[in-house]
Amino acid sequence: MTNYIALDAGFGNTRLYGSRGSVVLQSLVATNGTQTVSQWAIGDLKKIKAQPILISSAHGDYYVGPGAHQAGRPVENLDLDRMTGPETKALLYGVLSQYKTPAAATLIIALPIALAQGPDGDRVKDQARALLVGDHTWQATIDGQRRRHRLTIDDVLVTSQPAGAMFDYLLSADGSMSADMAALRKTKTFGILSLGFNTIEMMIVDEGKMLPKSVSGDTFGVRRLLELLNADGAYSLGEIDTRLRAGKLDYTAALDRWSRDVLGQIEKHWDRTLQRRFASVYVVGGGAYLMRNALLTKFKDRLVIPDDPILSIARGCYKYTLHKYGG
């Protein structure tokens, strides 16, 4: 029986979902290049500071997760090519180190839909497979405990983040589709909106068909809100994100400005005639929490936010494997 593991490789969080549970890791990456300082010189900070995971492999040493940007030199490559680069592999190892990883698995990965647009779309899919298919060996140091891990990835299935959200919306936990959802897919029009860290991703499904003109992936994600909050550049984006998550920032004024930008992008890519047809709009990603009120004002009772918008895409990808392959 094939083991399927779903990965949502986001710029804000890296999410893993499979039959053995789920893992969410803040997508912070740093090189292990800072000088060593004896712990006695700064006191015992373990109880008050997040300890990042140290990943060691043939590709080098990386800190990943909360605290990474305090422990090493931040790596903040926000170009879309990061999705097929060493940062993605380090973060993958970080979440796998917290998952009961089988000896072998097939990985389904959700990538930003912008990577699928244009003439290089197929090349990106090939790059993702080349990066991930094969044997993987790494060591992970978590809370001072160093462990060796090994996984063979037999195959990689590639889909988009909006498609993963759609699967989560339409499919039940066992991969089946209820009669109500089957009717929605075949006879209604609905929107999928992913408000991620780096990108806003949109897709419309009309009577079972994706409308190509409605597909969009723009860099207007939560990152834009963080840049407004960090205008003086005093923090890395990862550090300001951590402060936002911890409730240490007053973001009211910046949120209003960013929300207007997001709503502007929706109007740009989703024409109003199509919006009037919507039976529902399914919204996922960390931005769903931040923009809930603005989205409620716009879409009213058609707005659907899942129980866990952070994990939704990875969960949807795993549901899809159950639906198509039986798990």
Side-chain angles (χ1 to χ4, degrees), residues 14 25-37 39 50-57 59-76 82 86-95 98 139-144 146:
T14 300
L25 180 69
Q26 189 178 4
S27 296
L28 300 182
V29 182
T31 56
N32 182 19
T34 57
Q35 62 183 341
T36 299
V37 179
Q39 188 65 37
Q51 297 298 301
I53 299 170
L54 176 60
I55 299 297
S56 302
S57 72
H59 304 283
D61 293 348
Y62 290 91
Y63 289 114
V64 297
H69 286 190
Q70 287 76 41
R73 185 176 296 109
V75 178
E76 292 197 303
R82 163 176 161 167
E87 297 97 331
T88 291
K89 185 173 283 190
L91 288 163
L92 171 62
Y93 292 165
V95 288
Q98 300 172 83
Q139 293 181 327
T141 304
I142 304 176
D143 295 329
R146 187 180 182 100

Side-chain angles (χ1 to χ4, degrees), residues 2 32 44 156 164 172 221 244 247 250 270 272 289 295 323:
T2 303
N32 182 19
D44 185 6
V156 172
S172 301
L244 177 65
D250 179 4
W270 286 356
R272 295 190 178 185
Y289 290 120
L295 292 168
H323 179 75

Side-chain angles (χ1 to χ4, degrees), residues 31 44 66 69 118-119 128 170 209 219-220 244 256 283 285 287 305 322-323:
T31 56
D44 185 6
H69 286 190
L170 295 175
K209 298 179 181 179
T219 55
F220 277 85
L244 177 65
D256 182 63
V283 183
I305 297 178
L322 297 179
H323 179 75

